[in-house]
Amino acid sequence: MIDRRSIIAGAAAFAAAPMLAGKAVAASAQKRSSPVSDSFPSGFLWGAATAGHQIEGNNTNSDQWLLENVQPTITGAPSGDAVNSFELWRDDLDLVKSMGLNAFRFSLEWPRIEPEPGMFSRAMLDHYKAIIDGCRERGIAPVVSFNHYTTPRWFAAQGGWLHPDASDLFTRFCDRAAKHLAAGIAIATTLNEPNLPRLLPFVLPPQFMGGLRANLGAAAKAAGVPRYVVANTVLPEDVPALTAAMIKGHKGARAAIKAVRPDLPVGFTLSIADDQAVGLNSIRDRMRAELYGDWLAVARDDDFVAIQNYERILWGKDGRLPAPAGTPRNFRGAEVYASSLAGAARYAHQATGKPVLVTEHGVGTDDDTIRANLIRDGLRELHHAMAEGVPVQGYIHWTLMDNYEWGAGIGHGAFGLASVDPITFKRSPKPSAQVLKAIAQSNSI
């Protein structure tokens, strides 16, 4: 049985953290000449993140499953069994604990919980409740994403987030899920990276949009509908309407979750680069407003701002500039820049006034040394930002284990702290997991 008093105490500590951080910063400002502690605040969250569709396997009722299984597709190989976490979630939680982490971020799969409009599965709600309870039994804080991109196939087939009732349908789902699950959750996020459609044209090659149109067209034909609309790959002309609907959906979901449990911290996750101005007349500030402005304004009414950072973007006067030659690269050829997380955290806090929770940070690479260095160096820079006054409440690494990667399939673009055998599904921690474990257990760099 879950001790609700410990849950409430944990939530209260999370909510109080910015005030405590502010006092610590004020005290340190009076002693500038004193050495800065290399420790993180007491109660700091150290975790690993996952997403349901990417790890569970056989999510056949999801919008993404159809995208993966029509031709032409841009999704890479189908997700299939993924890493079989729907069955092996206990192994996943044991893995989190073995890494010395005290938080686990995972998502609810709306397609499993509401397979048909208005039909809610008690069995699936109980499944996610068991995972929440399993976290608590292991001393792990459950950080729960109510939606990590995927929606039910019926939702996408009726126009997804462009349908007039989309935000109300999402709010209804969050209400049902919260009533069943909220008592055990430590932190909740409603939507994952709802600003991603604005970023995609800047981080993916130009031919991507052509492939996306063909893929969505094939899915619509297979579903027998005029349009098939998903949340994580969006056509440019749909972005404004989809953004407005998702903002309404987040606000409705936040209210629904708070109505069930007012003390539960609620926010959403923001995909944010470390945007840097280069030269005179840089368009950096204009691009920040375009990429994040709507959502940063929304976050000012949330309990925290959750950031997900993977790279920096250099902005000149005419657009994005190439990264310096000779720097480490991820599997897509993008620069791996350790200071980018701290830069993103500084800006997110400055723009919202809210405490920061890092809900994703990592690198897709087969070279685990790059990942180990990124964890160590990125956290060192993040700690410097915290010493300057940025209240960061936790660091959750993407991802716990190699899994299905959007657009790349399985076995490509490995982000995991652990590898997974494709036949036995055995999870095996990599050396980078030991690096994060040492930092988490000492709560210091």
Side-chain angles (χ1 to χ4, degrees):
M1 181 176 179
I2 296 173
D3 184 351
R4 181 166 173 79
R5 289 173 297 177
S6 66
I7 296 169
I8 293 173
F14 185 88
M19 178 179 69
L20 297 175
K23 290 180 179 178
V25 169
S28 66
Q30 296 172 3
K31 301 179 180 180
R32 296 283 183 191
S33 60
S34 300
V36 177
S37 168
D38 62 357
S39 295
F40 287 82
S42 176
F44 195 81
L45 292 177
W46 294 104
T50 60
H53 186 78
Q54 293 179 258
I55 65 169
E56 289 181 346
N58 300 302
N59 192 21
T60 57
N61 200 47
S62 72
D63 54 4
Q64 289 293 323
W65 185 270
L66 184 58
L67 282 185
E68 296 164 13
N69 289 281
V70 296
Q71 292 297 329
T73 183
I74 58 169
T75 62
S79 53
D81 289 329
V83 293
N84 199 26
S85 284
F86 189 83
E87 298 292 337
L88 300 178
W89 60 266
R90 295 172 186 84
D91 293 3
D92 297 346
L93 298 188
D94 290 341
L95 183 62
V96 172
K97 186 173 182 179
S98 75
M99 291 180 181
L101 305 176
N102 62 12
F104 177 52
R105 178 178 173 234
F106 68 97
S107 68
L108 311 178
E109 271 303 308
W110 184 5
R112 295 188 191 274
I113 293 172
E114 191 181 3
E116 298 294 339
M119 180 187 295
F120 292 90
S121 169
R122 175 67 182 246
M124 289 299 100
L125 288 167
D126 283 346
H127 170 79
Y128 291 109
K129 186 177 185 300
I131 297 175
I132 291 168
D133 292 349
C135 285
R136 292 292 180 182
E137 291 163 3
R138 293 166 175 81
I140 297 168
V143 180
V144 177
S145 306
F146 277 63
N147 178 252
H148 195 117
Y149 294 142
T150 45
T151 66
R153 188 181 296 193
W154 60 261
F155 185 84
Q158 69 180 23
W161 284 98
L162 300 182
H163 189 276
D165 297 333
S167 58
D168 293 335
L169 292 170
F170 180 62
T171 297
R172 181 181 69 180
F173 160 70
C174 291
D175 171 70
R176 285 295 186 96
K179 286 174 178 173
H180 203 85
L181 305 171
I185 296 174
I187 299 168
T189 61
T190 59
L191 298 168
N192 183 72
E193 297 183 337
N195 69 313
L196 183 66
R198 296 193 186 278
L199 269 169
L200 286 180
F202 299 100
V203 299
L204 292 176
Q207 62 267 31
F208 170 79
M209 285 302 166
L212 174 60
R213 290 183 189 279
N215 194 183
L216 291 172
K221 182 177 180 181
V225 295
R227 297 195 68 192
Y228 193 81
V229 180
V230 301
N232 61 337
T233 43
V234 181
L235 297 174
E237 61 268 25
D238 293 335
V239 171
L242 179 134
T243 299
M246 293 185 92
I247 287 174
K248 183 180 178 184
H250 165 69
K251 291 179 177 179
R254 180 182 63 201
I257 296 167
K258 289 285 192 181
V260 174
R261 196 178 136 202
D263 66 315
L264 178 59
V266 180
F268 65 91
T269 72
L270 183 73
S271 178
I272 184 167
D274 178 16
D275 299 281
Q276 298 182 3
V278 179
L280 297 175
N281 303 315
S282 168
I283 65 170
R284 190 271 308 268
D285 292 346
R286 175 166 65 83
M287 294 309 303
R288 275 179 165 173
E290 179 179 330
L291 297 174
Y292 324 117
D294 292 347
W295 287 102
L296 287 169
V298 173
R300 293 178 193 133
D301 293 325
D302 290 342
D303 295 307
F304 56 90
V305 55
I307 65 170
Q308 307 194 161
N309 170 262
Y310 291 93
E311 59 186 285
R312 69 169 169 172
I313 298 179
L314 304 175
W315 297 105
K317 63 182 178 64
D318 297 318
R320 183 175 187 175
L321 301 174
T327 55
R329 304 290 166 137
N330 66 18
F331 81 108
R332 296 190 190 277
E335 179 189 27
V336 180
Y337 183 70
S339 298
S340 67
L341 178 61
R346 287 186 182 97
Y347 177 64
H349 174 60
Q350 175 191 20
T352 62
K354 293 294 180 177
V356 176
L357 177 63
V358 178
T359 43
E360 286 186 22
H361 175 249
V363 57
T365 179
D366 293 327
D367 184 349
D368 193 56
T369 303
I370 293 177
R371 179 174 300 103
N373 290 338
L374 178 68
I375 291 170
R376 187 184 298 109
D377 297 342
L379 283 169
R380 184 177 293 111
E381 292 300 318
L382 183 67
H383 187 270
H384 291 164
M386 294 170 68
E388 295 166 7
V390 180
V392 181
Q393 299 181 329
Y395 173 85
I396 302 175
H397 189 82
W398 181 269
T399 179
L400 176 64
M401 58 198 159
D402 297 340
N403 57 32
Y404 174 78
E405 176 57 31
W406 313 106
I410 295 175
H412 302 282
F415 282 83
L417 293 165
S419 60
V420 180
D421 185 285
I423 305 300
T424 66
F425 300 115
K426 180 182 178 182
R427 285 86 160 112
S428 300
K430 303 174 186 177
S432 58
Q434 186 60 43
V435 171
L436 182 57
K437 179 178 181 177
I439 294 171
Q441 290 191 320
S442 66
N443 202 40
S444 66
I445 293 291

